[in-house]
Amino acid sequence: MPDPRAAPTSLWNRNFLIWWLGSAQSALGSALAGIATSFLVLHQTGSAGAMGVNLALSLLPALLSPLFGTLMDRLPVRLPLVVGNLLRAALQLGVGLAALRGHVPLEVLHAVAFLTGLVGAFYGPASMGVTPRLVPPSELQRAGGLMQGTSQTMNMVGLVGGGLFVAHFGSGAALVFDGATFLLFGLLLTLVRFPTGRAKAAAETFWQSFTGGLGYVRGSAMLVGLPLIALLINASFAPLEMLLPKRMIALEAGAAGYGLFWGLELAGIALGSFGIAWLGERVNPRRLSVLGLAGLGAVVVALSLAASPGPMYALAALMGLTSAMTNLSISVLFQKRVDPVYYGRVGSLLGMVGMAGQPLTLLLLAPVADRVPISLVFAVAGVVTLLGAVVWEAVLRREPASIPPPAVPA
């Protein structure tokens, strides 16, 4: 009987199946919870500003993710995953059951949002290195496609069905359902057996581990360029979510058109992810990442020229397809390039730097958003992304195609 702790030899092994299916059902619950929380805050306060504060509090802990990433690299892989899911289950079940009984104080909702974000800040870095440990290196691209495609499909189902669920059963029931998915995932993770013999962090202090991660990144042009490219792209795409509702109103498509646009974008991501999973190693992730970035830029430039809802819907699906190409190929490059003992530190640094571009751009654009033509903003975003593809191609040329993970500089 094969040892479940041994290095994986096939994609469809028990440990990966548990991780894949558990992640899928958890993604569905989280999509429902996002809608439920929005409507719960708005129903009890009638204030969009209160919803904005709630969202900001959930995102704020992400700024600490590099510190959490350092901590995660010093712990056994399973521990933060199980604890993170159980903590999120307790938070969502608590506020969901309270909502079923009646009014939930706004302060409680804000506290739960912050604590949920705090849990996510350490859970995210811990989860980045799971898939490479559960599948053979030759199946990493296929596994990543399955993970991303299934997650986006569940998100799409949750977004489409979330409104109906909340309308019929209420926000409290949706939050209880989300808590139950986290609880189930936490329990399932206790059945996952990670391969033995993985590298362990050296006996060093926390700050030595933290600075060691920074030194590790500096040893690779790809790892230096990747968060900067993510920062640039997130900054250029931030105006889309901010200005698209106004664009849809101007085109007489309204809220329905807005929802359809993002639904088609998610469908494109799912389709692209499953397609890459099917192709597997026949796709070169380096070429695919550059092609995806260039395609993404071209799609956004085309959005600036679209004068009716129909073309925008078609472009939304294409945007999802090129996003899947970009995100999945870059994820595979990251997982193949980084030593497992650095997954938390390097991944959390990438996530934090990349995320910073979005709020910074929104704050800078907010004062002039109503005075600048939307088509101009979209065109600039597309051109910036196209330039990013050129820069990323240059970065990849400096990085050998097949080398061992970079050593930490002395």
Side-chain angles (χ1 to χ4, degrees):
M1 186 175 188
D3 181 4
R5 292 181 183 271
T9 58
S10 67
L11 173 63
W12 300 113
N13 62 81
R14 189 198 72 169
N15 294 322
F16 174 69
L17 282 172
I18 294 174
W19 173 247
W20 176 43
L21 296 175
S23 298
Q25 58 91 36
S26 181
L28 174 62
S30 295
L32 285 173
I35 296 176
T37 301
S38 299
F39 277 88
L40 182 61
V41 173
L42 290 173
H43 175 73
Q44 294 191 164
T45 66
S47 170
M51 186 59 240
V53 171
N54 194 267
L55 178 61
L57 287 170
S58 70
L59 296 175
L60 191 61
L63 298 175
L64 301 174
S65 57
L67 298 178
F68 284 118
T70 302
L71 178 61
M72 294 307 103
D73 283 339
R74 299 165 66 88
L75 296 173
V77 179
R78 186 188 297 105
L79 179 62
L81 298 175
V82 174
V83 171
N85 276 290
L86 294 181
L87 287 175
R88 290 191 289 189
L91 290 168
Q92 297 302 311
L93 286 171
V95 73
L97 292 172
L100 288 175
R101 290 196 298 269
H103 180 82
V104 182
L106 183 60
E107 294 79 11
V108 172
L109 294 176
H110 286 343
V112 169
F114 179 79
L115 291 173
T116 301
L118 196 62
V119 174
F122 76 76
Y123 184 87
S127 66
M128 286 180 177
V130 173
T131 301
R133 292 186 172 102
L134 301 182
V135 301
S138 61
E139 298 287 2
L140 187 55
Q141 191 152 290
R142 182 168 292 150
L146 288 170
M147 292 292 297
Q148 179 172 276
T150 305
S151 175
Q152 295 301 330
T153 300
M154 291 298 100
N155 281 332
M156 183 171 59
V157 172
L159 289 173
V160 173
L164 294 174
F165 189 99
V166 171
H168 284 84
F169 302 104
S171 294
L175 292 170
V176 168
F177 179 83
D178 184 37
T181 64
F182 282 131
L183 179 60
L184 177 59
F185 196 14
L187 296 175
L188 287 173
L189 284 171
T190 62
L191 303 176
V192 176
R193 298 294 180 260
F194 293 94
T196 56
R198 73 181 181 89
K200 295 182 179 180
E204 56 188 7
T205 68
F206 179 88
W207 290 110
Q208 285 174 331
S209 295
F210 180 76
T211 56
L214 296 178
Y216 185 87
V217 169
R218 289 198 300 269
S220 164
M222 180 192 294
L223 298 183
V224 171
L226 191 53
L228 298 178
I229 290 294
L231 172 69
L232 183 70
I233 295 172
N234 284 340
S236 64
F237 271 77
L240 283 179
E241 292 190 35
M242 181 180 185
L243 299 176
L244 192 61
K246 184 176 179 180
R247 181 74 161 179
M248 284 300 183
I249 291 174
L251 296 177
E252 299 183 351
Y258 177 81
L260 179 58
F261 181 93
W262 290 116
L264 289 169
E265 194 254 358
L266 287 174
I269 293 177
L271 180 64
S273 300
F274 287 129
I276 295 171
W278 176 69
L279 291 171
E281 288 294 300
R282 287 173 285 179
V283 177
N284 185 319
R286 287 177 170 238
R287 294 175 184 171
L288 190 66
S289 64
V290 176
L291 182 61
L293 271 176
L296 203 52
V299 167
V300 179
V301 170
L303 275 174
S304 71
L305 304 174
S308 62
M312 292 193 72
Y313 297 148
L315 289 169
L318 286 175
M319 187 166 73
L321 182 63
T322 52
S323 294
M325 294 165 58
T326 304
N327 294 334
L328 184 53
S329 56
I330 285 178
S331 174
V332 170
L333 290 173
F334 167 84
Q335 291 169 342
K336 287 186 174 182
R337 188 65 181 81
V338 178
D339 190 301
V341 299
Y342 288 96
Y343 276 147
R345 282 165 282 181
V346 178
S348 59
L349 179 65
L350 190 158
M352 188 197 72
V353 174
M355 186 198 71
Q358 203 163 26
L360 289 175
T361 302
L362 292 175
L363 290 173
L364 291 173
L365 186 61
V368 298
D370 293 323
R371 298 195 293 271
V372 177
I374 295 176
S375 58
L376 176 61
V377 177
F378 283 12
V380 170
V383 170
V384 168
T385 306
L386 286 169
L387 292 175
V390 175
V391 173
W392 181 239
E393 168 69 19
V395 168
L396 291 178
R397 287 182 180 275
R398 294 185 58 189
E399 191 85 5
S402 180
I403 56 175
V408 182

